[in-house]
Amino acid sequence: MIKILDSTLREGEQTPGVYFSPEIKLAIAQFLDLVGVDIIEAGNPAVDGEIANAITKISHAGIKAKIGAHSLCSIENVNKCLDCGIDFLGIVFSVSEKRLQLDYNLSLATAIDKIVEVISYARKQQDNLLIRYTPEDTVRSKIENVIEAAVAAVQAGANIISIADTVGYTTPFLPNRSISYYVKTLKSELAKRQLYPQIEVHCHNDRGLALANALDAYSADADIIDVTVMGLGERTGIVDLAPLLINLIDIGEEKAKWELRYLKDLYELVSEYSHIAIPPHHPILGKNAFTHYAGLHVKAVSKDEELYQSLNPEILGLKSSFALGTQSGRSAIKQAIQQIGRAELAENPDLVAKILQEIKEIAKRGTPIDVEKELPAIVDRCALSELITNWIGK
C-alpha cells in the first residue's frame, strides 16, 4: 500500500518567492491531513527559527499524519529537528564522487562514516522515530556507492531509503535510467543482506517526467512517493499531489484512502499564499479541467459527459461546465440560456442564432465570456432586438 509524503512546506517553499507564515503552514498541514497524506515534511528548522517554530506548532496540532523535518547530515541539525517534536527525520548526504570531491573533499568511506554517525545518534535519541536517509542525486551517483551507503544507513538505524532524482534525470523509457530500475536494484541488493527498509522516491520535474517517473516507481513497488501541492519546488518542482492521487486510484489504489473533495480548497489555499495562480489547463483542478468549449464537445456531453471526460468531477466535489466563445454552437447557447433561468427563450431558434452570433463577436476580444455575469445582458439585448425586428416586420 503506497504512502504519500507531502513536502509543500519544505520543498514547496524552495520555489523562488514562496513564503508561508507559520499560521498558513498549519492550515496547509491540516488540509493535507484531511486529504489523507501519510507524512507531512514540514521544513528544515536549521534554515530559520520561524521554520522551527512552525514545525513545532504543526507537531503539536493533533494531526494524524506523521510530521517530519529535513536535516543535513550533522548532529547539530538533527538536534534542531528533534527539538520540534517530530515523528519523521530526513537526513540527506550525497555519495556522488563528483559532489564528494568538489563540495566536501571527502572520500566515500569518510562520507559513509559520517552518515552512520549521524543516523546512529538520531536513533539513540528517539527509538520510535522514522528515519530516512537520502543519497542526494541518487540516480546520477554510482549505484555501488548508493548501495554501500544505503546498507550502512539501514544498519545504523534508518527505516527508509529515498531515491532522489534531484535534477529530474530519470526517464521510464530508458531501462538503466528509469527510476523503477533503481527501486528494484536497491530493494534486491538490500534484501540480499536481509535488510528491508521502505523505499521512497523524490522525483523532480526538470524534463516534465516527474509524474511518469513516480508511477514508474509505483510499478516497481516503491513504498513512499514525495509530492507537493501544485508541484511546487526547486526549479520546476516535483510530483504534483492531485494528478498523482487520481492516477494511483486509476491503476489500483483504493479511492477511500484519500478524501479528494478537500483538494480544491487545499489548492486554492496554497495558490493564494504562494501567489502562484493555478493554470486554467492544470490537470484535475484547473478552471478548464472539466470545462467544454467546442460545439461538438458541448453537444455530446449534454447527452453523456463520459463522451468527452475520462474522470467524474463529482469525486472532487466539482461539476462539469462549458464555456462560450468563437467555438460555441447552438447546443451551448441553449444550455447557457437554460442555466441563467431563461429556458423559454432557448426554444426560439432565431433568437438562439442571434445570441450565438453576438457571442462569437464578443469572444474576438480574446477573453472568456462569463455565463452568469455577461450572458443575461447579451440575452436581453438580443431578445429586445428580436422583438423590435418582429414589430417592424408587422
Side-chain angles (χ1 to χ4, degrees), residues 91 115-124 131 133 153 156-158:
I91 295 170
I115 292 162
V116 167
E117 176 193 14
V118 173
I119 291 174
S120 299
Y121 174 82
R123 175 55 63 217
K124 288 175 185 173
I131 300 176
Y133 165 62

Side-chain angles (χ1 to χ4, degrees), residues 185-382:
T185 301
L186 201 51
K187 281 201 166 200
S188 172
E189 291 297 325
L190 289 164
K192 287 177 185 176
R193 297 160 175 83
Q194 304 299 305
L195 301 173
Y196 303 96
Q198 296 179 71
I199 300 297
E200 180 177 338
V201 294
H202 185 88
C203 304
H204 273 265
N205 202 36
D206 297 65
R207 298 169 189 250
L209 290 172
L211 176 59
N213 286 326
L215 296 172
D216 189 37
Y218 175 80
S219 74
D221 293 326
D223 301 288
I224 303 169
I225 298 174
D226 293 3
V227 300
T228 57
V229 174
M230 295 169 59
L232 295 177
E234 192 82 25
R235 301 182 313 281
T236 57
I238 66 169
V239 179
D240 190 347
L241 170 62
L244 178 69
L245 296 188
I246 291 296
N247 280 282
L248 288 175
I249 290 167
D250 203 39
I251 59 180
E253 287 293 314
E254 289 292 328
K255 184 174 73 173
K257 286 173 59 176
W258 300 300
E259 291 287 351
L260 302 179
R261 59 200 168 101
Y262 292 112
L263 285 172
K264 182 176 183 291
D265 289 335
L266 169 61
Y267 270 62
E268 288 177 352
L269 176 67
V270 171
S271 175
E272 179 176 354
Y273 287 95
S274 66
H275 307 291
I276 297 175
I278 301 169
H281 60 286
H282 183 284
I284 317 301
L285 291 165
K287 181 181 178 182
N288 294 345
F290 299 101
T291 300
H292 303 278
Y293 181 32
L296 179 66
H297 290 227
V298 172
K299 186 175 181 181
V301 298
S302 67
K303 299 170 184 175
D304 186 339
E305 290 184 356
E306 287 189 8
L307 291 171
Y308 278 104
Q309 282 182 185
S310 66
L311 298 173
N312 181 353
E314 292 180 6
I315 66 173
L316 298 152
L318 303 175
K319 291 182 179 180
S320 298
S321 63
F322 56 92
L324 298 177
T326 57
Q327 298 286 330
S328 296
R330 290 173 180 265
S331 293
I333 299 302
K334 291 176 74 172
Q335 285 187 61
I337 293 171
Q338 291 167 356
Q339 184 177 317
I340 63 170
R342 310 289 290 277
E344 72 285 356
L345 300 180
E347 302 308 315
N348 182 334
D350 292 335
L351 178 58
V352 168
K354 187 169 284 192
I355 293 169
L356 176 59
Q357 188 58 41
E358 182 160 348
I359 290 287
K360 287 179 179 286
E361 287 301 316
I362 293 172
K364 291 176 183 177
R365 68 190 180 188
T367 56
I369 293 170
D370 189 301
V371 173
E372 298 294 336
K373 293 180 180 178
E374 293 185 79
L375 185 60
I378 294 170
V379 170
D380 288 342
R381 281 199 304 273
C382 290

Side-chain angles (χ1 to χ4, degrees), residues 154-188:
V154 176
Q155 290 174 337
N159 314 92
I160 302 163
I161 301 295
S162 178
I163 298 171
D165 187 7
T166 304
V167 297
Y169 176 72
T170 56
T171 168
F173 309 109
L174 298 173
N176 291 336
R177 205 169 115 188
S178 69
I179 204 156
S180 59
Y181 162 77
Y182 289 92
V183 173
K184 290 174 183 176
T185 301
L186 201 51
K187 281 201 166 200
S188 172

